[in-house]
Amino acid sequence: MLSKVQFLRISATFCAPTPPKRSSFQQIVTFTARFGSRMGSASHTTSSKLLFRQLFEKESSTYTYLLADVSHPDKPALLVDPVDKTVDRDVALVKELGLKLMYAINTHVHADHVTGTGLLKSKVPGVKSIISKASDANADLLLEPGDKICFGSLFLEVRATPGHTQGCVTYVTGDGSEQPQPRMAFTGDALLIRGCGRTDFQGGSSDQLYNSVHSQIFTLPKDTFVYPAHDYKGFSASTVGEEMQYNPRLTKDKETFKSIMANLNLSYPKMIDIAVPANMVCGLQDDETKVVS
């Protein structure tokens, strides 16, 4: 595993670091994009660099996100929350678009599906796995709050948003004239569209989740797009402003929120006994008999 103080090379150039208060590693990000729906209405960013695709795995209702810098000669790309069942689809798309997949990153240790990170590493040479250090999972790169995942000329910043699990993070596109606008937040299960992730296992805490969302996501500009890890009602995206106004759980005061979460009476996740052990080591190989990190 690479040291946090190392810089990762995308081409011949290093990502120029901003002076950090806590240094880990700096990398670069970039995007060319027209974005999906804002709860059904079309909208787009002003960046001409980001290639963005929102992909779906129907069995677990999981969204995987492909981002790439098409202004860079190598067209470096990353996948957020890949699923093992759709790795072949994702690899084919990366090849069709002429991209160079650099990173496979997870927002947290999932309990409802096996991550595709391990399979991606076995199928695409050089891909690095990424997850938060707080997750206690294995990966090539372990993130801490304030770190940046860089590819091309833009970046994703890492925000700690625990509460669904102890290691949940939200990835947010950078702030600045060279970054995509409006900004984008890949919220995992911390903030869903008109909902949020459950807090009754994997070190979950409704108190912590409430604080995370309000301090790390609801403080973003209101036009920031919200792209969750799952949706079960057919929505593809929301915005911070919409969730601050309409989210039926997180618009309540903290004590009411905690009461709501304590009385959900949800069933035991059917994949948890398979998914969590596999995802702690970032997935399985093709034959699903040998764990890879």
mmCIF file of all heavy atoms in Angstrom, residues 11 33 63 94 104 148 156 165 181 183 187 193 195 203 261 264 267:
data_model
loop_
_atom_site.group_PDB
_atom_site.id
_atom_site.type_symbol
_atom_site.label_atom_id
_atom_site.label_comp_id
_atom_site.label_asym_id
_atom_site.label_seq_id
_atom_site.Cartn_x
_atom_site.Cartn_y
_atom_site.Cartn_z
ATOM 1 N N SER A 11 0.281 11.093 -15.446
ATOM 2 C CA SER A 11 1.075 10.967 -16.666
ATOM 3 C C SER A 11 2.498 11.284 -16.266
ATOM 4 O O SER A 11 3.031 10.688 -15.356
ATOM 5 C CB SER A 11 0.541 11.922 -17.735
ATOM 6 O OG SER A 11 0.615 13.246 -17.263
ATOM 7 N N ALA A 33 -18.965 17.348 -18.999
ATOM 8 C CA ALA A 33 -20.215 16.732 -18.666
ATOM 9 C C ALA A 33 -21.475 17.458 -18.984
ATOM 10 O O ALA A 33 -21.551 18.639 -18.894
ATOM 11 C CB ALA A 33 -20.222 16.413 -17.221
ATOM 12 N N TYR A 63 -26.134 2.610 -7.859
ATOM 13 C CA TYR A 63 -25.564 3.470 -8.892
ATOM 14 C C TYR A 63 -24.038 3.377 -8.844
ATOM 15 O O TYR A 63 -23.426 3.472 -7.770
ATOM 16 C CB TYR A 63 -25.963 4.924 -8.682
ATOM 17 C CG TYR A 63 -27.380 5.251 -9.087
ATOM 18 C CD1 TYR A 63 -28.261 5.825 -8.175
ATOM 19 C CD2 TYR A 63 -27.837 5.015 -10.381
ATOM 20 C CE1 TYR A 63 -29.560 6.144 -8.538
ATOM 21 C CE2 TYR A 63 -29.131 5.331 -10.755
ATOM 22 C CZ TYR A 63 -29.989 5.895 -9.833
ATOM 23 O OH TYR A 63 -31.273 6.208 -10.193
ATOM 24 N N VAL A 94 -15.536 1.696 -20.536
ATOM 25 C CA VAL A 94 -14.264 2.416 -20.432
ATOM 26 C C VAL A 94 -13.452 2.261 -21.711
ATOM 27 O O VAL A 94 -12.882 3.230 -22.234
ATOM 28 C CB VAL A 94 -13.465 1.902 -19.210
ATOM 29 C CG1 VAL A 94 -12.016 2.384 -19.258
ATOM 30 C CG2 VAL A 94 -14.126 2.360 -17.913
ATOM 31 N N ALA A 104 -10.651 2.695 -8.634
ATOM 32 C CA ALA A 104 -11.956 2.136 -8.301
ATOM 33 C C ALA A 104 -12.185 2.465 -6.833
ATOM 34 O O ALA A 104 -11.474 1.962 -5.962
ATOM 35 C CB ALA A 104 -11.990 0.631 -8.528
ATOM 36 N N LYS A 148 -7.544 14.530 -1.400
ATOM 37 C CA LYS A 148 -8.065 14.773 -2.743
ATOM 38 C C LYS A 148 -7.723 13.606 -3.652
ATOM 39 O O LYS A 148 -6.596 13.108 -3.638
ATOM 40 C CB LYS A 148 -7.495 16.070 -3.330
ATOM 41 C CG LYS A 148 -7.936 17.308 -2.584
ATOM 42 C CD LYS A 148 -7.309 18.561 -3.179
ATOM 43 C CE LYS A 148 -7.754 19.795 -2.418
ATOM 44 N NZ LYS A 148 -7.136 21.030 -2.966
ATOM 45 N N LEU A 156 -11.653 15.264 -6.715
ATOM 46 C CA LEU A 156 -12.706 15.004 -5.744
ATOM 47 C C LEU A 156 -12.122 15.211 -4.358
ATOM 48 O O LEU A 156 -11.046 14.691 -4.059
ATOM 49 C CB LEU A 156 -13.213 13.554 -5.840
ATOM 50 C CG LEU A 156 -13.918 13.096 -7.111
ATOM 51 C CD1 LEU A 156 -14.275 11.618 -7.003
ATOM 52 C CD2 LEU A 156 -15.164 13.922 -7.368
ATOM 53 N N THR A 165 -22.400 3.814 8.218
ATOM 54 C CA THR A 165 -21.319 2.978 8.740
ATOM 55 C C THR A 165 -20.265 3.919 9.304
ATOM 56 O O THR A 165 -20.274 5.120 9.027
ATOM 57 C CB THR A 165 -20.668 2.081 7.662
ATOM 58 O OG1 THR A 165 -19.855 2.899 6.807
ATOM 59 C CG2 THR A 165 -21.716 1.349 6.839
ATOM 60 N N GLN A 181 -19.118 22.997 -12.561
ATOM 61 C CA GLN A 181 -20.141 23.738 -11.833
ATOM 62 C C GLN A 181 -21.505 23.455 -12.439
ATOM 63 O O GLN A 181 -21.630 23.428 -13.657
ATOM 64 C CB GLN A 181 -19.845 25.245 -11.879
ATOM 65 C CG GLN A 181 -18.541 25.646 -11.206
ATOM 66 C CD GLN A 181 -18.522 25.365 -9.717
ATOM 67 O OE1 GLN A 181 -19.572 25.428 -9.063
ATOM 68 N NE2 GLN A 181 -17.356 25.034 -9.179
ATOM 69 N N ARG A 183 -21.340 22.002 -8.442
ATOM 70 C CA ARG A 183 -20.551 20.920 -7.866
ATOM 71 C C ARG A 183 -21.394 19.648 -7.773
ATOM 72 O O ARG A 183 -22.620 19.686 -7.899
ATOM 73 C CB ARG A 183 -20.015 21.324 -6.495
ATOM 74 C CG ARG A 183 -19.077 22.520 -6.565
ATOM 75 C CD ARG A 183 -18.618 22.966 -5.203
ATOM 76 N NE ARG A 183 -17.593 22.063 -4.672
ATOM 77 C CZ ARG A 183 -17.029 22.238 -3.479
ATOM 78 N NH1 ARG A 183 -17.399 23.237 -2.692
ATOM 79 N NH2 ARG A 183 -16.096 21.388 -3.049
ATOM 80 N N THR A 187 -22.687 10.790 -2.445
ATOM 81 C CA THR A 187 -22.978 10.701 -1.014
ATOM 82 C C THR A 187 -23.071 9.285 -0.469
ATOM 83 O O THR A 187 -23.325 9.106 0.722
ATOM 84 C CB THR A 187 -24.283 11.450 -0.701
ATOM 85 O OG1 THR A 187 -25.347 10.902 -1.508
ATOM 86 C CG2 THR A 187 -24.145 12.934 -1.002
ATOM 87 N N ILE A 193 -31.833 10.153 -2.005
ATOM 88 C CA ILE A 193 -32.827 11.094 -2.507
ATOM 89 C C ILE A 193 -34.093 10.924 -1.679
ATOM 90 O O ILE A 193 -34.734 9.875 -1.713
ATOM 91 C CB ILE A 193 -33.093 10.861 -4.001
ATOM 92 C CG1 ILE A 193 -31.799 11.100 -4.794
ATOM 93 C CG2 ILE A 193 -34.200 11.793 -4.507
ATOM 94 C CD1 ILE A 193 -31.885 10.698 -6.242
ATOM 95 N N GLY A 195 -34.215 10.563 1.486
ATOM 96 C CA GLY A 195 -34.011 9.542 2.500
ATOM 97 C C GLY A 195 -32.578 9.541 2.987
ATOM 98 O O GLY A 195 -31.818 10.496 2.777
ATOM 99 N N GLY A 203 -21.524 -0.330 12.915
ATOM 100 C CA GLY A 203 -21.074 0.865 13.617
ATOM 101 C C GLY A 203 -21.922 2.086 13.333
ATOM 102 O O GLY A 203 -21.469 3.222 13.545
ATOM 103 N N MET A 261 -35.346 6.901 12.900
ATOM 104 C CA MET A 261 -34.381 5.859 12.555
ATOM 105 C C MET A 261 -34.493 4.661 13.487
ATOM 106 O O MET A 261 -34.251 3.520 13.078
ATOM 107 C CB MET A 261 -32.962 6.427 12.579
ATOM 108 C CG MET A 261 -32.721 7.574 11.596
ATOM 109 S SD MET A 261 -33.140 7.177 9.889
ATOM 110 C CE MET A 261 -31.848 5.991 9.497
ATOM 111 N N LEU A 264 -37.620 2.172 12.268
ATOM 112 C CA LEU A 264 -37.791 1.781 10.867
ATOM 113 C C LEU A 264 -38.197 0.319 10.723
ATOM 114 O O LEU A 264 -38.844 -0.062 9.742
ATOM 115 C CB LEU A 264 -36.490 2.034 10.089
ATOM 116 C CG LEU A 264 -36.100 3.502 9.893
ATOM 117 C CD1 LEU A 264 -34.762 3.590 9.154
ATOM 118 C CD2 LEU A 264 -37.171 4.267 9.135
ATOM 119 N N SER A 267 -35.783 -5.141 7.699
ATOM 120 C CA SER A 267 -35.334 -6.531 7.709
ATOM 121 C C SER A 267 -33.815 -6.604 7.620
ATOM 122 O O SER A 267 -33.159 -5.666 7.158
ATOM 123 C CB SER A 267 -35.970 -7.300 6.553
ATOM 124 O OG SER A 267 -35.614 -6.714 5.306
#
